[in-house]
């Protein structure tokens, strides 16, 4: 019948349409597969390529032991990351700028884009000639850096940011700052500016002992306070006070009389020079029991534990527990203890690996410009605009113990 024929024709047309749709989809799938497959192969090839990180350290010369300690730390970092696709390529600097440049150019020829090192600021001298390579130097100096060098050390800004937090927590209003006349003097001043720490008065001092003592006397108004005491004893002696012998005896036990116009002191010094400054402060009758003695990162110097007279002493530093655990792990692996700089190099390998996972590693110009944070053994690294700052902890040395405050 006509109706049956119409139905049959409709069915035939529907089958052709359905077949056409299926063929169209099939062609699209084939076409997409042809387009995507090479991209998949490219991604697989990229994923299987090794991440090569250069390492510039002294393996010859007077600092070769430090260089070996850093190489071992980097090996330990690779082992802990447990990734066969990371390759470290070490090159010798011999702690000489010309040799550093030669080794850096060799790394560039190998296609390496990121280098951990050099260690020392003086070896950065010619690195601006090595285009398209980023150097993560272990120095904590941030002045006069080539544009392709990032200072990864514990710089003055990071330390003073941490001290600033402590000052705020303790409501300190009159902090004086003592800076030695040394080669890092301008780094300290830059740190003060960048951290925006509030300083009541800033003093520079000579590290020569006799000059130092005289300068500390002037800073603390020692002679005036000493004279105040002598005058007060004379006044009491000539007075009619009934208990003046008792008052005089008490005054004679003192060294000075009169208040100090500051509540805390930041001493930007280290080792024996730091001890010389604190000794001069004690001599001028300034006690850490009455005024806060604060200094910079001391890397948990154990000799400070025995300096009872200058305690409590406060300082910013890296995460101490992580540092101790790292030292034990390093000793277990290599049967020797590491340098503190080796921990920084350990973390920097992890940092580069972390950034390579998050970013396009071929464009290293942008790699360290984007705001990022990375938690390492040292603590948290804050990365932005080709700068690295550290979020540090704060410690107190007292009663022959080091205690974490925050």
């Amino acid at each position: 019948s006509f109706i049956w024929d119409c139905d049959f024709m409709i069915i035939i047309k529907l089958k052709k349409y359905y077949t056409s749709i299926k063929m169209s989809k099939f062609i699209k799938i084939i076409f997409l597969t042809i387009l995507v497959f090479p991209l998949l192969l490219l991604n697989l090839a990229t994923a299987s390529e090794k991440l090569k990180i250069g390492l510039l350290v002294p393996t010859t010369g007077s600092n070769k032991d430090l260089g070996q300690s850093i190489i071992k730390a980097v090996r330990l970092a690779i082992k802990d990351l447990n990734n066969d696709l990371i390759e470290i390529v070490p090159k010798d600097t011999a702690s000489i700028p010309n040799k550093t440049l030669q080794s850096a150019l060799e790394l560039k020829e190998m296609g390496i884009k990121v280098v951990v090192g050099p260690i020392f600021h003086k070896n950065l001298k010619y690195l601006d000639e090595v285009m398209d390579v980023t150097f993560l130097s272990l120095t904590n100096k941030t002045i006069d850096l080539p544009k392709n060098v990032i200072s990864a050390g514990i710089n003055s800004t990071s330390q003073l940011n941490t001290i600033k937090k402590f000052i705020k927590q303790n409501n300190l209003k009159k902090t004086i700052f003592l800076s030695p006349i040394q080669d890092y003097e301008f780094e300290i001043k830059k740190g003060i500016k960048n951290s925006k720490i509030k300083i009541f008065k800033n003093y520079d001092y000579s590290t020569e002992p006799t000059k130092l003592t005289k300068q500390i006397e002037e800073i603390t108004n020692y002679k005036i306070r000493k004279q105040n005491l002598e005058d007060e004893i004379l006044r009491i002696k000539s007075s009619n006070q009934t208990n003046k012998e008792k008052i005089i005896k008490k005054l004679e036990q003192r060294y000075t009389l009169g208040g100090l116009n500051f509540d805390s002191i930041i001493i930007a010094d280290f080792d024996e020079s730091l001890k010389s400054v604190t000794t001069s402060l004690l001599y001028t009758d300034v006690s850490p029991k009455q005024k806060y003695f604060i200094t910079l990162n001391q890397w948990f110097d154990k000799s400070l534990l025995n300096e009872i007279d200058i305690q409590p002493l406060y300082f910013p530093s890296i995460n101490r527990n992580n540092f101790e655990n790292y030292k034990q792990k390093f000793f277990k692996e290599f049967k020797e203890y590491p340098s503190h700089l080796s921990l920084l190099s350990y973390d920097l390998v992890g940092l580069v690996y972390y950034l390579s996972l998050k970013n396009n590693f071929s464009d290293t110009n942008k790699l360290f410009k984007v705001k990022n944070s990375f938690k390492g053994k040292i603590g948290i690294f804050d990365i932005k605009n080709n700068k690295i700052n550290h979020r540090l902890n704060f410690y107190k040395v007292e009663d022959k113990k080091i205690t974490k405050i925050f």
Side-chain angles (χ1 to χ4, degrees):
S1 69
F2 175 76
I3 295 173
W4 188 89
D5 287 339
C6 286
D7 287 345
F8 182 74
M9 288 176 67
I10 290 168
I11 291 167
I12 294 295
K13 284 183 178 181
L14 284 171
K15 280 184 176 181
K16 284 181 179 179
Y17 179 70
Y18 179 69
T19 303
S20 174
I21 291 172
K22 284 174 74 178
M23 286 299 292
S24 177
K25 284 185 177 179
F26 181 70
I27 289 165
K28 283 181 180 178
I29 290 167
I30 293 293
F31 181 69
L32 286 171
T33 302
I34 290 167
L35 282 176
V36 171
F37 188 66
L39 294 173
L40 289 171
L41 287 175
L42 182 63
N43 285 337
L44 287 170
T46 305
S48 64
E49 285 178 7
K50 285 201 169 187
L51 169 62
K52 288 185 177 181
I53 304 171
L55 181 64
L56 281 175
V57 292
T59 56
T60 59
S62 58
N63 295 303
K64 64 180 181 181
D65 290 342
L66 176 58
Q68 288 300 325
S69 178
I70 289 170
I71 289 171
K72 288 171 182 175
V74 168
R75 281 168 49 193
L76 190 59
I78 297 298
K79 182 180 178 181
D80 288 349
L81 287 170
N82 193 26
N83 191 321
D84 294 334
L85 296 179
I86 306 171
E87 181 182 350
I88 301 296
V89 183
K91 290 284 181 181
D92 183 25
T93 65
S95 301
I96 300 170
N98 286 330
K99 176 63 176 172
T100 303
L101 174 61
Q102 179 189 333
S103 294
L105 289 169
E106 289 172 6
L107 291 171
K108 182 185 177 181
E109 287 296 314
M110 298 172 70
I112 289 171
K113 298 285 188 180
V114 175
V115 175
V116 173
I119 300 172
F120 306 112
H121 187 271
K122 66 177 183 179
N123 290 338
L124 309 178
K125 190 174 180 180
Y126 304 119
L127 292 184
D128 55 354
E129 298 178 26
V130 189
M131 306 297 289
D132 301 320
V133 178
T134 300
F135 298 89
L136 302 177
S137 174
L138 277 64
T139 182
N140 63 356
K141 294 182 178 180
T142 59
I143 295 174
D144 296 330
L145 295 179
K147 289 183 179 179
N148 57 342
V149 173
I150 298 172
S151 164
I154 312 297
N155 60 45
S156 61
T157 300
S158 299
Q159 297 180 58
L160 290 172
N161 277 334
T162 311
I163 293 172
K164 179 182 173 182
K165 180 180 175 181
F166 175 76
I167 286 172
K168 188 175 181 181
Q169 283 184 357
N170 289 274
N171 199 30
L172 302 177
K173 302 296 185 185
K174 290 188 174 183
T175 301
I176 64 171
F177 203 108
L178 307 183
S179 303
I181 302 169
Q182 294 279 19
D183 61 347
Y184 59 86
E185 177 186 352
F186 294 104
E187 287 288 342
I188 298 297
K189 286 177 169 52
K190 183 180 178 182
I192 291 172
K193 182 180 178 181
N194 289 346
S195 66
K196 298 179 182 177
I197 188 170
K198 289 184 179 179
I199 301 299
F200 175 56
K201 286 185 179 178
N202 207 329
Y203 300 95
D204 296 331
Y205 63 86
S206 169
T207 54
E208 200 276 309
T210 54
K211 289 182 180 178
L212 170 63
T213 302
K214 186 178 179 181
Q215 286 174 308
I216 297 297
E217 284 181 358
E218 291 172 358
I219 291 167
T220 60
N221 292 321
Y222 174 68
K223 288 183 178 179
I224 294 171
R225 291 160 53 235
K226 187 177 173 65
Q227 187 63 50
N228 287 345
L229 178 63
E230 292 172 2
D231 291 346
E232 183 64 8
I233 290 171
L234 285 173
R235 190 188 70 79
I236 296 295
K237 281 182 178 178
S238 61
S239 73
N240 296 322
Q241 287 186 237
T242 53
N243 60 341
K244 65 181 182 180
E245 287 80 11
K246 187 177 180 181
I247 295 170
I248 290 168
K249 190 175 180 179
K250 189 176 286 187
L251 286 171
E252 287 175 340
Q253 291 174 347
R254 300 186 60 163
Y255 298 100
T256 61
L257 185 65
L260 293 160
N261 65 342
F262 55 86
D263 52 24
S264 48
I265 311 161
I266 298 173
I267 309 165
D269 221 328
F270 310 91
D271 304 319
E272 293 307 312
S273 185
L274 170 65
K275 293 169 189 175
S276 294
V277 176
T278 53
T279 300
S280 293
L281 286 167
L282 292 172
Y283 169 76
T284 58
D285 199 25
V286 180
S287 167
K289 302 287 191 294
Q290 298 166 336
K291 308 294 177 184
Y292 286 89
F293 281 18
I294 305 166
T295 186
L296 301 182
N297 177 23
Q298 301 297 313
W299 289 105
F300 310 107
D301 179 0
K302 289 184 179 178
S303 71
L304 293 172
L305 297 174
N306 297 319
E307 302 291 330
I308 299 295
D309 291 338
I310 67 171
Q311 297 174 13
L313 181 69
Y314 301 85
F315 63 91
S317 196
I318 65 171
N319 187 298
R320 189 186 181 205
N321 287 339
N322 286 354
F323 188 36
E324 292 300 325
N325 291 338
Y326 163 76
K327 286 197 293 185
Q328 294 306 316
K329 179 186 282 191
F330 191 99
F331 185 83
K332 186 177 179 181
E333 187 76 16
F334 303 110
K335 301 298 180 285
E336 65 184 60
Y337 286 106
S339 64
H340 59 261
L341 281 178
S342 74
L343 175 58
L344 179 57
S345 59
Y346 175 98
D347 267 354
L348 288 176
V349 172
L351 171 63
V352 174
Y353 176 64
Y354 165 77
L355 291 177
S356 73
L357 295 177
K358 287 192 68 177
N359 301 276
N360 179 6
F361 202 69
S362 62
D363 190 359
T364 55
N365 289 326
K366 293 181 180 178
L367 200 60
F368 296 93
K369 285 183 180 177
V370 180
K371 187 176 180 180
N372 263 308
S373 293
F374 168 75
K375 188 172 184 180
K377 295 288 184 185
I378 280 178
I380 296 174
F381 292 68
D382 287 321
I383 306 131
K384 188 181 179 183
N385 295 330
N386 281 357
K387 291 183 177 66
I388 292 177
N389 283 314
H390 300 267
R391 295 185 220 171
L392 302 172
N393 297 117
F394 204 73
Y395 297 89
K396 173 175 70 171
V397 183
E398 189 173 28
D399 298 329
K400 295 190 174 185
K401 293 183 294 185
I402 298 176
T403 308
K404 181 180 172 183
I405 296 177
F406 60 77

